Amino acid sequence: MAISDHVDFDRFLNGLKKRNPGQPEYIQAVHEVAQDIFDFIGDKEEYHAAQILRRIAEPDRVISFRVCWEDDNHNIRVQRGWRVQNNNAIGPYKGGLRFHPTVTESVLKFLAFEQTFKNSLTGLPMGGGKGGSNFNPKGKSDGEIMRFCQSFMTELYRHVGPDVDVPAGDIGVGAREIGYMFGQYKRISGRWEGVLTGKGREYGGSELRPEATGYGAVYFLENMLKHAGNSVDGKTALISGSGNVATHAAEKVVELGGKVLTLSDSSGFIHDPDGIDQNKIDWIKDLKVNRRGRISEYCEEFNGATFHEGQRPWHVAADLALPCATQNEIDAAQGQALVDNGVIAISEGANMPSSLDAIKAFQDNKVLYGPGKASNAGGVAVSGLEMSQNAERRSWDATLLGRTLQDIMSDIHTKCGEYGSDQNGHINYVKGANIAGFKKVADAMLAYGVL
Ligand code: NDP
Ligand code: 2IT
């Protein structure tokens, strides 16, 4: 195909929309990546001839299944489960499982697509996948969670394996759920093998995996600030969410000398002008993980804090922002509010938390902006290291893992600079991450011929 015959971006996008009706999150994620890839492959005939972009925007397969379980009142409940195996060009499918009522095929396809580029950026041999269910874990007893997880794995087990597809946690899936699913896999298959990551330390889980995503997002933030001659020390920070990623991001911001002003959950956000210090973070972890409470309870415990029901924290003035809850939690107006209030840097702990309009506001105003596929890759990176530890039947110590996590985040920052720098040294992290993530996967696909 001559270069002049290449499909243009609009035709590509229209085709994508036609093939994926009713899947706005998936279209949004592909749209964001394809813009940069089009520029990159413009004069590179081999990618066009092999239709690499068209192939990378079609998941290898989408598996969907029924998950039936019995609640504590003996009602039979039916949920839908999925595993999206997006691309395994550079390693076994790898990515989390999300249990949340907002889970749809579109959400999981966007997450699996993003995961493919993120995993490539880590430098480890992992392809991209994602799965989950529209099951709502809120308010369920431990017994109900266990029965659901066992039923989910009873179907999922035939599609996964340590060299095939290795799921992990995400929203609504933490250590408890991973334990129930790993136990069920072991029972059905008769094999003790590293089929899931994020396991408990007693049975093959890695040191630092729970902390890795949040810590990694702050290391990435510190790398961006350092490149611009700045640091986290002495800065104020807005964080959304109060789960695994948010609480560990908060912990690392505090350790590096920053002051965390906000956290949130799906009911609203808390604002503590005195700063959310380590003691308060420990209290929140206990509230969320052990007592399964709501973030609003923070204000009953700590004087001076306020709860803002149904709102997000982005209108509070601060230097730094770390969205760590969910997708599209920063819309155009909220993105503009961050810019107007003088935010210096944004590092995404969540996947695709910023809308395309918000990203444009950050980029037009030269805010340092780390997209999730680069900034939150620390979690899956330590998952990759958990796979290595399981394969060699050894456990590495926390110091080695901590150093490796910092090195991986710094390497990702360097890769973004390699493909995203302009003449003045300003880094467009979206472009850098998209191109660096794409290139490794695309070159592996070229090597395999037409598959
Ligand atoms: P958790 O389940 O531990 O916490 C999720 C947090 O986000 C909770 O505070 C939850 O509030 C809030 N939240 C979830 N959905 C919504 C929503 N629709 N609107 C508002 N708030 C919401 O999940 P994680 O911390 O693991 O995940 C957070 C984000 O980080 C996700 O985008 C995930 O994909 C991403 N991520 C996670 C990684 C990991 O290793 N865990 C790795 C890389 C990215 P509530 O309690 O009210 O539901
Ligand atoms: O979005 C993500 O990178 C995760 N939820 C973690 C995936 C993993 O396999 O550790």
Side-chain angles (χ1 to χ4, degrees):
M1 182 165 82
I3 288 178
S4 56
D5 294 334
H6 296 157
V7 274
D8 62 34
F9 181 68
D10 291 340
R11 270 182 63 197
F12 171 80
L13 203 60
N14 284 336
L16 184 82
K17 286 178 181 164
K18 250 190 221 140
R19 287 190 299 276
N20 299 282
Q23 303 202 338
E25 295 87 0
Y26 181 60
I27 309 265
Q28 181 184 340
V30 178
H31 183 161
E32 190 247 81
V33 170
Q35 273 173 329
D36 292 322
I37 303 307
F38 255 89
D39 288 346
F40 175 68
I41 64 175
D43 58 353
K44 298 181 179 64
E45 184 55 31
E46 64 275 24
Y47 296 121
H48 292 283
Q51 293 280 348
I52 291 291
L53 188 56
R54 176 73 175 76
R55 283 157 65 188
I56 227 165
E58 192 68 45
D60 287 357
R61 64 192 65 78
V62 177
I63 301 155
S64 106
F65 47 91
R66 183 180 67 235
V67 186
C68 215
W69 58 286
E70 188 175 340
D71 70 21
D72 288 345
N73 297 321
H74 306 293
N75 298 309
I76 303 304
R77 311 279 288 263
V78 183
Q79 244 80 44
R80 188 166 296 170
W82 287 271
R83 186 71 183 167
V84 178
Q85 297 181 329
N86 193 64
N87 187 297
N88 68 351
I90 62 168
Y93 303 106
K94 179 84 194 90
L97 296 170
R98 178 177 290 191
F99 292 167
H100 196 273
T102 57
V103 166
T104 60
E105 190 174 307
S106 170
V107 167
L108 296 177
K109 276 172 70 178
F110 114 65
L111 287 163
F113 180 81
E114 287 280 296
Q115 196 82 45
T116 303
F117 297 87
K118 183 195 307 192
N119 293 4
S120 164
L121 283 171
T122 65
L124 301 173
M126 300 182 288
K130 199 87 186 191
S133 173
N134 57 357
F135 173 70
N136 185 0
K138 276 206 197 85
K140 303 289 189 298
S141 69
D142 278 352
E144 289 176 322
I145 297 283
M146 182 185 75
R147 291 193 292 281
F148 177 80
C149 288
Q150 291 180 340
S151 182
F152 185 85
M153 184 50 90
T154 300
E155 184 60 35
L156 185 69
Y157 92 99
R158 70 189 79 244
H159 305 291
V160 296
D163 297 316
V164 179
D165 185 351
V166 183
D170 194 81
I171 293 176
V173 178
R176 172 180 63 167
E177 291 74 18
I178 293 289
Y180 291 144
M181 287 190 276
F182 187 77
Q184 182 72 351
Y185 178 87
K186 186 172 69 59
R187 174 162 75 174
I188 299 172
S189 67
R191 301 168 76 91
W192 195 111
E193 53 190 13
V195 69
L196 296 173
T197 60
K199 301 184 289 297
R201 242 62 115 251
E202 308 76 17
Y203 58 97
S206 178
E207 292 287 345
L208 207 74
R209 177 61 191 88
E211 296 86 355
T213 310
Y215 284 13
V218 179
Y219 292 144
F220 195 83
L221 178 67
E222 186 74 341
N223 277 305
M224 291 197 294
L225 288 165
K226 195 168 149 206
H227 180 76
N230 217 328
S231 75
V232 170
D233 191 23
K235 306 286 188 303
T236 51
L238 309 178
I239 301 183
S240 64
S242 49
N244 171 276
V245 180
T247 50
H248 291 109
E251 206 163 277
K252 190 52 79 178
V253 167
V254 170
E255 192 188 316
L256 295 184
K259 185 174 179 183
V260 176
L261 298 179
T262 67
L263 285 168
S264 72
D265 63 19
S266 51
S267 324
F269 78 91
I270 51 143
H271 179 199
D272 186 343
D274 296 334
I276 303 170
D277 62 18
Q278 186 61 52
N279 281 338
K280 294 171 176 174
I281 295 168
D282 289 341
W283 184 89
I284 293 167
K285 281 184 178 173
D286 179 58
L287 171 80
K288 284 289 177 179
V289 177
N290 299 324
R291 294 183 276 139
R292 312 247 163 217
R294 308 303 300 155
I295 198 69
S296 55
E297 294 169 46
Y298 181 96
C299 301
E300 293 153 28
E301 185 74 14
F302 301 107
N303 288 335
T306 49
F307 177 63
H308 303 262
E309 193 173 351
Q311 292 181 50
R312 297 178 181 142
W314 314 123
H315 288 268
V316 177
D319 305 311
L320 311 170
L322 292 116
C324 297
T326 192
Q327 66 272 5
N328 289 324
E329 53 166 323
I330 306 182
D331 64 19
Q334 291 160 337
Q336 193 56 48
L338 284 166
V339 170
D340 292 345
N341 280 329
V343 75
I344 302 167
I346 296 163
S347 181
E348 295 183 337
N351 286 305
M352 207 170 77
S354 308
S355 67
L356 291 173
D357 290 335
I359 296 174
K360 186 164 184 316
F362 303 150
Q363 292 182 327
D364 288 350
N365 291 280
K366 294 260 185 294
V367 172
L368 299 172
Y369 166 64
K373 66 174 77 68
S375 51
N376 72 37
V380 75
V382 175
S383 275
L385 302 177
E386 183 169 325
M387 290 166 71
S388 302
Q389 294 170 75
N390 291 167
E392 67 173 39
R393 305 199 187 287
R394 300 279 301 262
S395 295
W396 305 350
D397 71 68
T399 313
L400 171 63
L401 285 155
R403 251 197 336 263
T404 311
L405 173 61
Q406 290 196 46
D407 288 348
I408 289 175
M409 296 316 294
S410 153
D411 286 350
I412 296 174
H413 184 271
T414 305
K415 282 179 197 157
C416 291
E418 213 170 298
Y419 292 100
S421 295
D422 66 16
Q423 307 89 315
N424 307 319
H426 178 80
I427 301 177
N428 177 337
Y429 289 94
V430 176
K431 181 175 168 197
N434 284 342
I435 296 175
F438 168 81
K439 192 170 181 314
K440 183 177 176 189
V441 177
D443 289 349
M445 289 170 74
L446 283 182
Y448 299 142
V450 181
L451 296 177

